[in-house]
Amino acid sequence: MDSIAEHQFNEFYSRLEGIRGFYRRNPDMSVVYPPELDYIKYKNNPEELEERQQAKAARERALAEIEDAANVVLLGDEQPQGQTYVSEDDLQKLETMFSGDERLGRYVDLNEQYELYLNLKCADKMSYLEYLQTVDKLEQYPRKLKGQVQYREYLSSLCKYFEGFFARAMPLFDLPKVLAEAKAEFDDSWAQNTVKGWETNPNGTDSGLVCKVCNKQFEKQTTYGAHMSSRKHQKAVERAKDAQPNENSILQRAEKDRETAWSETVVRTYVQVLAARIRDTKSNIERRQALTEEERNKEIEEEDEAEFVIEEEDKDEQIYNPLNLPLGWDGKPIPYWLYKLHGLGVKFECEICGNAVYRGRKAFEKHFQETRHATNMRRLGIPNTRQFHGIVSIEEAQQLWERVQKEKKQQVANTDTFEEYEDSEGNVFNKKTYFDLKRQGLI
């Protein structure tokens, strides 16, 4: 036992001497303390202990308040097990949170913004359905319209509505992240002068018809000439001679243009994210326009009488399908024995049908009579007859069709050779020779 203990201490002292020698050779190197020592210092720190005790007490108080509230709800209202308690205030907020056209966030309601659009100058008059299709086509508006206060108010109304819609209908959507990406892309495009609708010259030509005194741009020479000879322009020239050039006004206008362009980019981003809901809104409006007044009233009554029911959508369910079996009529994988019975594990690919894959021999044989295969065969100039069934390669089908055409030509030639005719004297000739001699008058 003494020898074993002596051996262990020898090992310890040898390692200790190696560590001391290392730090003698490297005197400038600081000693690295293990993380366990930092944790011990953190754990024994009296300030940290007090903070942890306060946090623990706060958690205990919060849990006690939650338990007390739950007991009051269950004892007072006797809520059945498995249902969530919703107060009357929450129901009233939910009823007033969305408008009637929004249907609890399923659709968007841009009627107020549509009225603002109709009041804009130089704006095309269109229906509400057409407006929903072109709500993000802001680059089509002329530049003189974008400098108006009404246009900025219209963009502000669109942004406020979409932001409120995200907060009400999609509260978990990461909107700041999307806006940050759009902002970075906008800054690059603005620096390169490639923002939609805000290029130096949207028409791609440099007309040069610009009045720097009045800060206006013209498209036609006649309009430009009339403006230059107008009394308003002459007065502006006289005021410009007396006044000093104001660079602040130019910078302020450039800053306003940048803000307007950024608002347009934000609207385009929102519309791109809500493209599916806007498409559903258009479909719903078209459907309601086709209904009669009685059908509309009946639909409204049914919606008023309906209760709030949480429906689990099948597409959100994660179906356990490790073997990647085909889905049946109920949306669930078919049994494995049925999968093997029909041979669905064997896949057949048809190049004529655009490399479509068919599971099982039965589906593969059936597709030769379907419209898709027949149409593609007609596009190749080949009839979809029985002799072409089973051929899936375009090259093989074309080769077979060429061979069939050659055989038909040979049959026509053999018909002239094999048929025999007899003249009045009893001489026998084949069909071709007989008609040649008869045309020459020799028979």
Side-chain angles (χ1 to χ4, degrees):
M1 293 294 293
D2 295 337
S3 62
I4 295 175
E6 184 178 359
H7 176 71
Q8 291 178 351
F9 280 109
N10 290 337
E11 181 68 20
F12 168 75
Y13 285 116
S14 63
R15 292 188 180 183
L16 180 61
E17 184 63 26
I19 293 172
R20 288 176 176 174
F22 175 79
Y23 282 103
R24 279 197 298 270
R25 292 191 299 271
N26 303 282
D28 297 334
M29 182 174 293
S30 60
V31 179
V32 179
Y33 292 98
E36 291 82 359
L37 295 178
D38 295 336
Y39 175 72
I40 292 171
K41 291 180 181 180
Y42 167 78
K43 187 176 180 181
N44 297 327
N45 190 359
E47 297 180 357
E48 298 293 340
L49 286 172
E50 185 178 357
E51 290 182 1
R52 286 200 298 272
Q53 290 175 358
Q54 293 177 357
K56 184 178 179 180
R59 287 197 301 270
E60 291 176 353
R61 287 196 300 270
L63 289 173
E65 292 176 359
I66 293 173
E67 290 177 356
D68 294 340
N71 294 330
V72 169
V73 170
L74 292 175
L75 294 174
D77 297 339
E78 294 184 358
Q79 293 292 326
Q81 188 175 3
Q83 294 188 4
T84 304
Y85 174 75
V86 181
S87 64
E88 294 182 359
D89 295 338
D90 294 336
L91 288 175
Q92 291 179 358
K93 290 180 181 179
L94 187 61
E95 290 178 356
T96 59
M97 184 179 296
F98 298 96
S99 64
D101 292 338
E102 288 178 339
R103 303 288 180 86
L104 297 178
R106 291 173 58 190
Y107 310 117
V108 295
D109 183 11
L110 296 176
N111 286 287
E112 183 179 351
Q113 288 71 28
Y114 173 62
E115 293 179 0
L116 292 176
Y117 166 78
L118 294 178
N119 293 328
L120 293 177
K121 295 181 180 179
C122 303
D124 298 334
K125 306 303 177 183
M126 60 181 68
S127 64
Y128 184 57
L129 273 176
E130 295 174 342
Y131 171 74
L132 289 177
Q133 295 176 355
T134 60
V135 66
D136 60 333
K137 303 295 187 298
L138 302 173
E139 65 274 5
Q140 63 184 359
Y141 301 145
R143 187 71 66 83
K144 59 182 179 181
L145 173 63
K146 297 182 178 181
Q148 298 178 2
V149 178
Q150 293 180 345
Y151 182 75
R152 295 193 181 97
E153 293 178 353
Y154 166 69
L155 291 179
S156 177
S157 177
L158 279 174
C159 292
K160 289 181 180 178
Y161 172 78
F162 285 129
E163 289 171 0
F165 186 83
F166 277 113
R168 290 179 285 116
M170 304 168 63
L172 299 180
F173 184 76
D174 194 358
L175 189 60
K177 180 181 178 182
V178 176
L179 289 178
E181 294 176 356
K183 181 65 175 176
E185 185 177 356
F186 170 77
D187 292 339
D188 295 339
S189 301
W190 185 263
Q192 299 175 4
N193 202 15
T194 57
V195 179
K196 284 186 178 180
W198 292 91
E199 298 86 353
T200 303
N201 195 344
N203 298 327
T205 58
D206 189 8
S207 59
L209 304 178
V210 179
C211 178
K212 296 183 179 179
V213 178
C214 300
N215 199 8
K216 291 185 178 180
Q217 183 176 2
F218 302 90
E219 298 179 357
K220 296 182 181 179
Q221 180 67 36
T222 55
T223 310
Y224 177 70
H227 170 76
M228 297 298 289
S229 60
S230 64
R231 184 178 299 178
K232 183 178 180 180
H233 174 72
Q234 299 298 331
K235 291 182 179 180
V237 172
E238 293 177 359
R239 288 196 300 268
K241 290 180 180 178
D242 298 335
Q244 295 293 332
N246 190 2
E247 296 182 357
N248 293 330
S249 61
I250 299 175
L251 295 175
Q252 290 176 0
R253 177 161 185 174
E255 186 64 26
K256 288 183 179 180
D257 291 344
R258 182 185 176 88
E259 292 177 358
T260 305
W262 167 239
S263 300
E264 291 181 354
T265 304
V266 171
V267 171
R268 292 193 190 96
T269 304
Y270 290 158
V271 172
Q272 185 178 2
V273 175
L274 297 173
R277 306 214 180 196
I278 294 175
R279 184 169 58 251
D280 295 341
T281 303
K282 291 187 289 186
S283 302
N284 182 54
I285 293 173
E286 293 175 351
R287 181 186 63 82
R288 291 180 63 85
Q289 288 177 352
L291 298 177
T292 61
E293 186 176 359
E294 296 179 358
E295 291 174 341
R296 292 196 196 98
N297 295 333
K298 185 178 180 181
E299 185 178 359
I300 293 173
E301 291 177 359
E302 291 177 354
E303 291 177 357
D304 292 338
E305 295 175 357
E307 297 179 354
F308 296 100
V309 180
I310 301 175
E311 298 180 356
E312 297 182 354
E313 299 181 358
D314 295 338
K315 61 182 180 181
D316 294 336
E317 295 181 356
Q318 294 183 357
I319 301 174
Y320 181 69
N321 189 10
L323 299 178
N324 195 20
L325 300 176
L327 302 180
W329 60 270
D330 57 351
K332 297 180 180 179
I334 64 174
Y336 186 71
W337 64 267
L338 187 62
Y339 173 80
K340 296 295 289 183
L341 178 64
H342 292 284
L344 300 180
V346 182
K347 297 181 181 180
F348 299 91
E349 185 176 353
C350 181
E351 184 182 1
I352 298 175
C353 296
N355 295 326
V357 179
Y358 299 92
R359 287 175 173 265
R361 170 65 63 176
K362 184 177 180 181
F364 176 68
E365 294 291 344
K366 185 180 179 182
H367 101 277
F368 288 108
Q369 299 294 337
E370 293 178 353
T371 306
R372 181 179 184 180
H373 188 85
T375 303
N376 292 331
M377 290 289 287
R378 284 197 300 270
R379 290 174 180 172
L380 294 175
I382 303 173
N384 189 27
T385 56
R386 184 69 183 174
Q387 57 187 342
F388 289 96
H389 287 190
I391 297 177
V392 296
S393 175
I394 296 176
E395 184 178 359
E396 292 179 0
Q398 291 175 345
Q399 291 177 358
L400 179 58
W401 175 237
E402 292 177 358
R403 192 169 66 204
V404 169
Q405 287 180 325
K406 288 181 181 179
E407 290 178 355
K408 287 184 179 179
K409 290 180 181 179
Q410 291 177 0
Q411 289 179 0
V412 173
N414 293 336
T415 302
D416 296 338
T417 306
F418 290 140
E419 291 187 11
E420 294 182 348
Y421 289 82
E422 185 178 355
D423 60 357
S424 57
E425 297 179 356
N427 298 319
V428 178
F429 305 96
N430 58 33
K431 181 179 178 181
K432 183 177 181 182
T433 305
Y434 176 80
F435 282 104
D436 289 343
L437 294 174
K438 190 173 183 180
R439 277 194 295 269
Q440 295 176 9
L442 301 176
I443 298 178

